[in-house]
Amino acid sequence: MNAPAPDTPAIELRNVTVRFGSEVALENVSLQVPDGDFLGILGPNGAGKSVLLGTMLGQIRPQTGKVLVRGEPVEKAHGRITYVPQFANFDASFPVRVRDVVLMGRLAQGRWFRRYSDEDHRQADEAIERLDLTSLRDRQVGHLSGGELQRVLIARALTVGARILLLDEPSASLDARVEGRLFDLLKELSQTHTLVLVSHDIGVMSQYVTSLACINRRLVQHGSPHVDAEILRQTYGHPVEIVSHHHEDLP
């Protein structure tokens, strides 16, 4: 396989339309995510944000258009792109330790019926350290806070080895201080990974992402993370008031 050109987008959607029956979830969306970008996706409920992530991941096939990952069809992107779910969608009652959950990321490497290798363990330990989870590595996931569990799920995604991470509302149900720490972490990760993040928090997201895509089935705007009132009105269908709040550093 030839290496992609240096300016090849990490993700590219070309005239993508997704329908579920008669319902149009995405309509003629064209979008490029440059390598190393930290892209925020913004829009109202039902606008197609999660559908967009699923399409980027290759789990949802569009009726028309193309999805490319580093210049290759998304179907060939195994190991290059991964997904971080909301902690609220993870069964925390399952009796498993933090380190075991992080190691599960290595199962994506085709090791379903094999023992974990030394390299698998090394990758897991590296992710645990990077996500500041060393003191929690042997704790049952059911005993973690929401913010701690979200970090575990990000660590699991890192062990896959993919350089493109898709995150769907990772700060949902977190309080403002924990949300701030999570976004600080994501900003740090964006130095080595391409991140695509769905969030409803306009004020916080605009402080951290490097670009913003506003979507309501169609792509309304893609560019600067600082959007004006008219763009938000077009996205949400009504005037939107932004309340900006800055997070204090935690000890």
Side-chain angles (χ1 to χ4, degrees):
M1 183 192 308
N2 293 328
D7 58 348
T8 300
I11 305 172
E12 183 176 6
L13 277 68
R14 297 179 182 173
N15 306 114
V16 166
T17 294
V18 175
R19 297 186 185 90
F20 299 106
S22 61
E23 180 182 353
V24 178
L26 295 175
E27 183 176 359
N28 198 34
V29 173
S30 293
L31 175 69
Q32 289 189 354
V33 183
D35 192 32
D37 195 13
F38 187 175
L39 171 67
I41 299 176
L42 188 66
N45 290 332
K49 302 184 299 297
S50 295
V51 173
L52 180 60
L53 290 190
T55 304
M56 289 177 171
L57 197 61
Q59 293 181 340
I60 298 174
R61 291 198 172 202
Q63 276 66 45
T64 61
K66 293 183 178 180
V67 182
L68 304 175
V69 175
R70 300 200 188 282
E72 293 277 326
V74 66
E75 294 82 7
K76 298 181 179 180
H78 180 73
R80 295 186 177 188
I81 186 168
T82 191
Y83 172 73
V84 181
Q86 293 183 32
F87 74 87
N89 295 331
F90 181 83
D91 185 4
S93 66
F94 190 72
V96 64
R97 299 178 305 162
V98 165
R99 192 171 188 273
D100 297 326
V101 173
V102 176
L103 266 169
M104 288 176 187
R106 300 302 294 173
L107 297 178
Q109 307 304 305
R111 298 182 177 275
W112 289 102
F113 302 105
R114 304 179 189 176
R115 290 185 177 182
Y116 290 119
S117 67
D118 290 343
E119 176 64 13
D120 294 333
H121 287 285
R122 188 190 71 78
Q123 292 278 358
D125 289 339
E126 186 176 285
I128 286 170
E129 182 176 357
R130 184 167 187 180
L131 273 294
D132 194 23
L133 294 167
T134 302
S135 64
L136 303 175
R137 56 183 286 155
D138 294 319
R139 186 172 297 183
Q140 295 286 327
V141 293
H143 298 160
L144 301 178
S145 69
E148 290 167 344
L149 182 51
Q150 190 66 72
R151 281 160 41 215
V152 170
L153 297 180
I154 295 172
R156 182 180 66 172
L158 291 182
T159 65
V160 173
R163 290 293 174 179
I164 307 172
L165 272 61
L166 309 183
L167 305 101
D168 193 357
E169 294 281 0
S171 62
S173 304
L174 300 181
D175 65 42
R177 289 170 65 83
V178 176
E179 180 186 39
R181 290 192 67 176
L182 178 62
F183 270 88
D184 286 339
L185 168 64
L186 294 177
K187 188 67 174 180
E188 179 184 336
L189 285 177
S190 72
Q191 304 305 307
T192 54
H193 291 71
T194 301
L195 303 185
V196 179
L197 166 76
V198 167
S199 177
H200 283 291
D201 197 327
I202 305 172
V204 173
M205 187 158 57
S206 65
Q207 296 176 41
Y208 288 88
V209 301
T210 53
S211 63
L212 190 67
C214 298
I215 186 168
N216 195 341
R217 292 184 174 85
R218 291 190 175 194
L219 185 64
V220 177
Q221 171 78 10
H222 177 213
S224 169
H226 306 290
V227 294
D228 59 27
E230 176 57 24
I231 292 297
L232 293 177
R233 187 195 65 77
Q234 292 178 34
T235 303
Y236 286 86
H238 56 76
V240 175
E241 181 178 358
I242 301 177
V243 178
S244 179
H245 51 281
H246 297 273
H247 299 289
E248 299 177 358
D249 292 333
L250 296 180

